[in-house]
Amino acid sequence: MMLSTGLLKLTPTQADSQRRRARRFAEGVSLWLAVLLMLFVHPLYAEADQRQSDSVGVLHFVDAAGRWQEPAIVLDSEFDIEVSGLLAETTLSRRFRNTSDAWREGVFVFPLPEKASVYGLTMTVGERTIVGEAQPKAEARKTYEKARSAGQSAANVEQHRPNLFTARVANIPPGETISVELQYQQPVDYRSGEFELRVPTTLMPRYMPGQPAAGQPREWHGGWALPSTQVPDADAISPFTVQANDVGATSHRADIRMTIDAGLPLARVISPSHPLQTRLDGQTVQVQSEQVLMDRDFVMRWQPLAGREPTAAVFHQRWQDDDYLLTMIVPGVNEAQVLPRDLVFVIDTSGSMAGESIRQARSALQQGLATLTPDDRFNVIRFNNQTHALFMQPEAATGNNLARARRYVANLQADGGTEMAPALERALTIPASASEKAGERVRQVVFITDGAVGNEAALFAQIRQQLGSQRLFTVGIGSAPNLHFMREAARWGRGLYTAIQDPADVSGPLQRLFAAMEAPVLTNVRVQWPGQSGKVESFPARTGDLFRGEPLVQVVRGTAPSGVLKVSGQLPGGRRWKQSLDLQQAAPGHGLNRLWARQKIDHLLDSARLVGGEPNKARVTELAVEHTLMSPYTSFVAVDESPARPSGATADTEHLPTLLPAGSQAGMLRYPQTATLAPLFTALGVIGLMFALAIGLLQRRATV
């Protein structure tokens, strides 16, 4: 042994011996870690297969071996729709049939039309019918929870978004059925000589931006998403999404019956979404579609005979000593003065758009490019997790630029998240070089998306703040778009919206939208009701510009059906337009009080958002209870006073899935077991690495 510069040097034999001991120690540690990780995997696997939370409810879609099982509750629905003039009344019946041998609670998250006013709930248990009542939301929850704990059959329905609701049905007996009947009304859309009614039956899984929120209460929730800083109720609006063959052969089907009394002869009645059976009885049309899969919106359109299109209509209702009027006035179509435009197209290329949706979106954008003139400038912006623009700023619509844009659009693919906020900011930011004088150039934004986001309120606030003098138009894509986002984004953007559901249905709605975008028909619209005073309240409170083919629709309380309604506005070129309507010609109306109350509630909520304050919760609740309406602060609850479940029996909670919207890619499926598999996959990956390290060391040892 030799000493050199104060350090001990080992002989070659001693060094080799020490390396072998270190290698054997590393092998032993690797193998022991692998064994410990194997023991750690078992509870993770159990956690991945089944959630064990009494407050959330136990999911029964996956067995102990990780195999998919059909839900124990079979769900079927009936839509019975009565259309009279400008309003549609719908009775929606949901039947929850328990096919298991245990007591169940069923939870189902479902969409309704974005302008629906829910005003009634009835629960049927055997031969007993229980009429529900509207209560403040917290009170309704307590009523339902008390009944559930007491073993009583109960139903609760509450609102998360204007178009998104949850129904809970407690204590469904083994082998029995409980029916829940909802009553709601919605306005009928009328534009460019055609009426349309849309009934949603499912929803696309929504993108939930933001960071995970800490300390969020978990009761009453059970979705695939966790609460985030931007979507605090993400777990309440994210039902599991499955394919049709993942549920029972008779589950998630609907019968749709519809009676249309338009008050005028009709030229045609069609549905671009479903096959129909129709029967004409004078001016009334009976429509029926049976056992349709709840995987797409049901869309109905009807068109008056040529020359019989409505130009004005008024309806009257007397309710609780108050008069309510609903009026519609359609300005005549005039040749518009077309101004040069800066037209920015924004297209959603996130994962929810994969499949048929991205093909429809590309087609819609290509049609939009075809409307450009040599005087226009344009840009194309795509977004998913990131935002990318074709040009740095809008460029002239020359042949070369349009050809480049068409190639760019044709190659767009869908994947990633739905980060809308950066795309909106990019589209609504006017470049410094675009400094034309006011009135010389119109700046418009066309936003093409399925609207599958959970942070709608934040996006509406962004539109209000960044819009300026621009106009925002939205195009809804897919078989189940989020029309609440489409309609409200266009409203705050002072534009219009349209929706495309079927590839064969692309050209018609887009042609009407792009024709309307050329220029407004009326600006500076003024509505003067007779005897208008502080007691008269009409909605919308502020009438925006009217585009080509768009009617003026207002509902008012406090005006009797007498006198003359006067409407005026400014036509393109500066000419004045006036029209009067004799209110004594009002036809009998029904449900106008609910329509007025719903618009009053929306006005209160909007007014608070505009100033960044809290809505007048007490006033909204008062209006909703007075008119028996569901709102953000009220819910419906019905309780059967007779205890049903034996005291010793328990009732498991089952969160029913929704069907994947037709045309969507399988990547949008949200099965229950996928929510907690991440730790399992991580552990398996670490085990694989440890075994690979151990095998590598053994092989190296064998070669030494």
Side-chain angles (χ1 to χ4, degrees), residues 235-251:
D235 50 352
I237 63 170
S238 55
F240 297 106
T241 306
V242 301
Q243 294 178 331
N245 56 9
D246 291 322
V247 297
T250 60
S251 190

Side-chain angles (χ1 to χ4, degrees), residues 115 460 464 484 488 491-492 599-613 615:
K115 286 296 182 182
F460 300 151
R464 294 195 301 270
H484 167 58
E488 290 300 289
R491 182 170 71 91
W492 289 112
Q599 296 213 22
K600 171 72 172 179
I601 289 172
D602 289 346
H603 174 70
L604 291 171
L605 298 175
D606 288 344
S607 298
R609 294 190 189 107
L610 282 172
V611 297

Side-chain angles (χ1 to χ4, degrees), residues 72-74 96-104 172-177:
I73 296 178
V74 173
F96 296 80
R97 180 161 54 91
N98 181 5
T99 62
S100 73
D101 56 1
W103 292 80
R104 299 282 185 183
I172 309 173
E176 299 296 330
T177 300

Side-chain angles (χ1 to χ4, degrees), residues 247-321:
V247 297
T250 60
S251 190
H252 290 68
R253 266 70 173 174
D255 290 337
I256 301 174
R257 292 182 294 273
M258 188 171 179
T259 301
I260 302 173
D261 184 4
L264 65 166
L266 299 180
R268 63 171 189 162
V269 177
I270 62 169
S271 171
S273 61
H274 292 79
L276 298 176
Q277 301 174 22
T278 60
R279 182 167 59 87
L280 179 63
D281 183 8
Q283 292 187 0
T284 301
V285 179
Q286 304 286 341
V287 177
Q288 188 167 336
S289 192
E290 297 181 343
Q291 287 296 291
V292 299
L293 269 177
M294 293 166 57
D295 65 348
R296 70 192 69 198
D297 290 357
F298 177 80
V299 182
M300 277 296 304
R301 294 179 184 150
W302 56 99
Q303 194 172 38
L305 287 172
R308 301 296 298 271
E309 296 87 353
T311 57
V314 61
F315 301 87
H316 170 255
Q317 178 192 14
R318 183 80 176 170
W319 186 80
Q320 292 190 358
D321 299 326

Side-chain angles (χ1 to χ4, degrees), residues 15-284:
D16 291 341
S17 176
Q18 186 168 335
R19 282 195 295 270
R20 284 194 295 271
R21 285 196 298 270
R23 191 163 53 243
R24 284 195 292 270
F25 177 80
E27 293 167 4
V29 170
S30 299
L31 291 172
W32 274 111
L33 284 174
V35 171
L36 289 173
L37 281 170
M38 285 293 290
L39 295 175
F40 175 66
V41 164
H42 181 72
L44 284 177
Y45 182 76
E47 180 185 347
D49 277 347
Q50 195 174 41
R51 292 182 178 182
Q52 302 289 343
S53 170
D54 293 336
S55 62
V56 178
V58 180
L59 298 173
H60 295 277
F61 304 146
V62 184
D63 63 17
R67 294 184 297 265
W68 171 265
Q69 288 186 329
E70 290 181 2
I73 296 178
V74 173
L75 176 78
D76 59 66
S77 305
E78 289 184 1
F79 294 84
D80 198 341
I81 306 168
E82 299 275 345
V83 177
S84 178
L86 301 177
L87 287 178
E89 302 268 351
T90 300
T91 299
L92 168 57
S93 300
R94 305 272 196 205
R95 286 188 292 272
F96 296 80
R97 180 161 54 91
N98 181 5
T99 62
S100 73
D101 56 1
W103 292 80
R104 299 282 185 183
E105 176 192 29
V107 181
F108 185 54
V109 179
F110 62 96
L112 285 179
E114 74 281 0
K115 286 296 182 182
S117 299
V118 180
Y119 64 87
L121 169 70
T122 303
M123 180 178 68
T124 302
V125 183
E127 300 297 322
R128 299 184 301 282
T129 298
I130 301 94
V131 178
E133 61 179 3
Q135 297 180 357
K137 183 176 287 188
E139 182 180 332
R141 285 189 175 189
K142 290 178 181 178
T143 302
Y144 176 83
E145 289 284 7
K146 182 179 178 181
R148 183 178 67 171
S149 299
Q152 298 167 310
S153 296
N156 171 266
V157 179
E158 66 180 25
Q159 173 183 319
H160 303 293
R161 301 287 188 276
N163 65 338
L164 192 57
F165 300 77
T166 293
R168 295 175 178 83
V169 183
N171 296 309
I172 309 173
E176 299 296 330
T177 300
I178 291 181
S179 297
V180 176
E181 185 177 280
L182 274 182
Q183 292 177 297
Y184 67 86
Q185 71 178 36
Q186 68 185 105
V188 175
D189 284 331
Y190 178 78
R191 189 183 299 167
S192 301
E194 187 174 66
F195 294 92
E196 179 178 288
L197 190 75
R198 181 177 289 260
V199 179
T201 66
T202 191
L203 63 150
M204 178 69 72
R206 302 186 177 193
Y207 180 69
M208 311 296 181
Q211 300 300 314
Q216 292 290 330
R218 294 291 301 165
E219 63 273 8
W220 285 69
H221 300 312
W224 57 263
L226 295 176
S228 75
T229 52
Q230 294 190 40
V231 192
D233 61 348
D235 50 352
I237 63 170
S238 55
F240 297 106
T241 306
V242 301
Q243 294 178 331
N245 56 9
D246 291 322
V247 297
T250 60
S251 190
H252 290 68
R253 266 70 173 174
D255 290 337
I256 301 174
R257 292 182 294 273
M258 188 171 179
T259 301
I260 302 173
D261 184 4
L264 65 166
L266 299 180
R268 63 171 189 162
V269 177
I270 62 169
S271 171
S273 61
H274 292 79
L276 298 176
Q277 301 174 22
T278 60
R279 182 167 59 87
L280 179 63
D281 183 8
Q283 292 187 0
T284 301

Side-chain angles (χ1 to χ4, degrees), residues 331-332 334 336-337 339 442 444 469 471 494 516-527 542-548 550 552 567-578:
N334 295 274
Q337 177 185 356
L339 295 175
V442 177
Q444 299 175 331
S469 61
R471 301 294 178 89
R494 300 185 303 147
M517 287 173 57
E518 291 180 355
V521 172
L522 280 182
T523 58
N524 302 321
V525 179
R526 184 183 177 191
V527 180
R542 179 179 295 178
T543 304
D545 298 345
L546 294 181
F547 292 87
R548 184 179 300 173
E550 183 186 18
L552 167 68
V567 182
S568 61
Q570 185 175 340
L571 292 166
R575 293 177 295 123
R576 297 295 298 170
W577 173 89
K578 294 181 181 180

